Amino acid sequence: MSITRRLLMSSAISPGELRNLRAIIGYTPRWYAREDLFEPHKTTIVIPAATEINVGGNGYVVSQDTTLDLSTIGTAANRAGKDVYIYACQPTSNINNLDPTLVLSLDPTAPAGYTEHTSRKIGGFHCLCADVGVIEGHDLSGYVAGDILPASVWDLLHLPKSDPEGMVYSTEYGQWVDIYLPSWDETTGKLVSKYNGVICDGSSSPMKFNGEEFVEYFGKVTKHLLPRSAFMVVMKGTPEQVSIQGAADPNTTGGHVANNGQRILSNDGIEDCTGVLWQWGEDTYENYPNSSWNTNNYYLNDYSWQAKSIYNATYDDTNRGSCVGLLRRVLLGASWSEGLYCGSRAADCRLFSAFGYDSCSARGASEPRAVNL
């Protein structure tokens, strides 16, 4: 148990102890410490006692478990598919109060009535974009639009290397995964995980992507493609052997239902897992056409350099090298046209990484951030 928690549980904290505690926290601008991560419920989230926060050079400690209600930021429809931020703010009525004012907000900069100096973003979460319905054995069965996705909760000690918006943490995989298939943010010029965004694929506008482009552009936002070994794990809960209702490209992300009437949603809350668009994976395979093998060597020889597998003039403005042999990249999950072939283990191993098509998208993932506050 931390010193702070022992002090808070004692019968009284002396004025001197209070001053010392606040001085220690206030002395370090980035100070943030807690024993437990925020506890999510469907429409509330609990900030645990003994959470220590520096806000604008002042030290604060949450004296008791504090429940924040999503009703303070509007209706369920207003927050569905959106990221909500948790702020610790300097008290306005009693500036000597040890407790910070804790606020929920949809504003990524500062909550209403506060500034970046008088508030500090200490965490957040994502709200479910559409009702789940009743799905036997599914972790999110019964959740409705606007509810908190439990796996999306982050704070300053538990977050990805990338921006945390639109992501969930997979405890099985040990990494953060995008909730949505990628869309293009024209303002930032980056791939984002966003509800109702136009899905990036081989023919999307204003940016179209092949396998190589997805690798590069996810790298620019500190993400990477999912390997097949992870895909098989994180997509559990998705309907298997069925494609999206109507068997057509949905064009936008999230909230979709399969032909069997079940939401296309993983146990962690990942949308459009399978049967929507193929998703480029991290795994690559080599193919050596028309090659001969000298049995005295531990390699194949007598084949030529090829640019076809890693350069495609439709997507690339510059040829950045060639490949000895032909490089293929796995596609995962299957698309809207594959029917009973779709699923968390579905894979296509035929295509070059430079290939681009309107049924091929991708999924971003990011490692946990090493935090040093």
Side-chain angles (χ1 to χ4, degrees), residues 20 79 102 136 154 172 192 195 199 221 238 243 256 286 322 340 349:
N20 289 339
R79 62 180 183 264
L102 297 169
E136 185 177 355
W154 62 273
E172 293 89 352
V192 294
Y195 173 53
I199 300 171
V221 291
T238 188
S243 61
H256 300 121
E286 291 178 323
S322 296
L340 61 83
C349 304

Side-chain angles (χ1 to χ4, degrees), residues 293-315:
W293 181 40
N294 182 338
T295 56
N296 294 320
N297 296 319
Y298 290 93
Y299 55 88
L300 294 170
N301 59 1
D302 296 333
Y303 47 85
S304 62
W305 287 92
Q306 302 280 344
K308 190 77 173 178
S309 61
I310 57 176
Y311 170 65
N312 186 334
T314 301
Y315 299 89

Side-chain angles (χ1 to χ4, degrees), residues 226-240:
L226 282 170
R228 183 170 182 268
S229 58
F231 191 93
M232 293 165 59
V233 173
V234 303
M235 297 308 177
K236 285 295 183 294
T238 188
E240 306 281 4

Side-chain angles (χ1 to χ4, degrees), residues 302-371:
D302 296 333
Y303 47 85
S304 62
W305 287 92
Q306 302 280 344
K308 190 77 173 178
S309 61
I310 57 176
Y311 170 65
N312 186 334
T314 301
Y315 299 89
D316 303 303
D317 57 4
T318 303
N319 186 332
R320 293 179 172 83
S322 296
C323 177
V324 180
L326 297 171
L327 186 68
R328 292 173 292 165
R329 182 177 298 278
V330 70
L331 285 161
L332 303 166
S335 73
W336 67 82
S337 63
E338 309 301 337
L340 61 83
Y341 300 112
C342 302
S344 58
R345 294 187 182 180
D348 186 336
C349 304
R350 300 171 299 166
L351 304 177
F352 300 158
S353 189
F355 179 79
Y357 193 61
D358 60 2
S359 65
C360 298
S361 186
R363 181 82 58 175
S366 185
E367 291 86 0
R369 188 181 305 185
V371 178

Side-chain angles (χ1 to χ4, degrees), residues 26-352:
Y27 182 75
T28 307
R30 298 178 62 199
W31 187 290
Y32 174 81
R34 49 82 173 166
E35 291 189 348
D36 302 300
L37 182 62
F38 313 140
E39 181 183 324
H41 302 276
K42 288 183 178 181
T43 59
T44 61
I45 190 161
V46 180
I47 312 303
T51 300
E52 306 167 357
I53 313 157
N54 180 304
V55 182
N58 294 322
Y60 300 96
V61 179
V62 179
S63 62
Q64 59 185 348
D65 289 354
T66 303
T67 300
L68 302 179
D69 196 302
L70 268 64
S71 63
T72 60
I73 56 171
T75 64
N78 183 56
R79 62 180 183 264
K82 295 180 181 178
D83 289 281
V84 177
Y85 302 96
I86 303 168
Y87 288 93
C89 306
Q90 295 179 354
T92 55
S93 57
N94 180 4
I95 61 173
N96 293 317
N97 193 350
L98 177 65
D99 273 273
T101 299
L102 297 169
V103 178
L104 297 178
S105 176
L106 294 170
D107 193 320
T109 302
Y114 298 90
T115 67
E116 291 180 73
H117 179 73
T118 59
S119 67
R120 184 180 179 192
K121 188 192 303 180
I122 60 171
F125 51 85
H126 193 80
C127 293
L128 182 68
C129 67
D131 295 355
V132 176
V134 177
I135 306 173
E136 185 177 355
H138 199 290
D139 290 355
L140 298 177
S141 179
Y143 276 65
V144 298
D147 283 353
I148 297 172
L149 285 175
S152 72
V153 176
W154 62 273
D155 76 346
L156 297 177
L157 297 177
H158 175 65
L159 73 171
K161 289 182 178 179
S162 66
D163 292 336
E165 283 83 358
M167 302 191 81
V168 290
Y169 181 73
S170 168
T171 54
E172 293 89 352
Y173 179 38
Q175 292 192 23
W176 294 80
V177 181
D178 281 349
I179 294 171
Y180 304 103
L181 294 172
S183 53
W184 183 253
D185 188 318
E186 290 191 65
T187 302
T188 62
K190 295 178 180 178
L191 291 175
V192 294
S193 174
K194 178 182 178 181
Y195 173 53
N196 209 32
V198 176
I199 300 171
C200 290
D201 56 36
S203 61
S204 54
S205 178
M207 286 283 293
K208 55 182 179 290
F209 291 81
N210 60 3
E212 296 288 276
E213 290 288 299
F214 273 122
V215 172
E216 290 195 11
Y217 277 89
F218 272 129
K220 291 180 179 181
V221 291
T222 329
K223 295 180 181 180
H224 58 83
L225 300 176
L226 282 170
R228 183 170 182 268
S229 58
F231 191 93
M232 293 165 59
V233 173
V234 303
M235 297 308 177
K236 285 295 183 294
T238 188
E240 306 281 4
Q241 293 190 293
V242 286
S243 61
I244 188 171
Q245 200 168 67
D249 188 343
N251 191 47
T252 57
T253 63
H256 300 121
V257 177
N259 279 327
N260 65 352
Q262 182 179 326
R263 280 274 278 114
I264 306 176
L265 187 75
S266 78
N267 286 321
D268 286 329
I270 299 169
E271 298 276 344
D272 303 331
C273 310
T274 59
V276 180
L277 275 83
W278 284 106
Q279 296 161 58
W280 288 107
E282 196 171 64
D283 310 74
T284 55
Y285 312 88
E286 291 178 323
N287 180 45
Y288 302 94
N290 302 316
S291 60
S292 61
W293 181 40
N294 182 338
T295 56
N296 294 320
N297 296 319
Y298 290 93
Y299 55 88
L300 294 170
N301 59 1
D302 296 333
Y303 47 85
S304 62
W305 287 92
Q306 302 280 344
K308 190 77 173 178
S309 61
I310 57 176
Y311 170 65
N312 186 334
T314 301
Y315 299 89
D316 303 303
D317 57 4
T318 303
N319 186 332
R320 293 179 172 83
S322 296
C323 177
V324 180
L326 297 171
L327 186 68
R328 292 173 292 165
R329 182 177 298 278
V330 70
L331 285 161
L332 303 166
S335 73
W336 67 82
S337 63
E338 309 301 337
L340 61 83
Y341 300 112
C342 302
S344 58
R345 294 187 182 180
D348 186 336
C349 304
R350 300 171 299 166
L351 304 177
F352 300 158

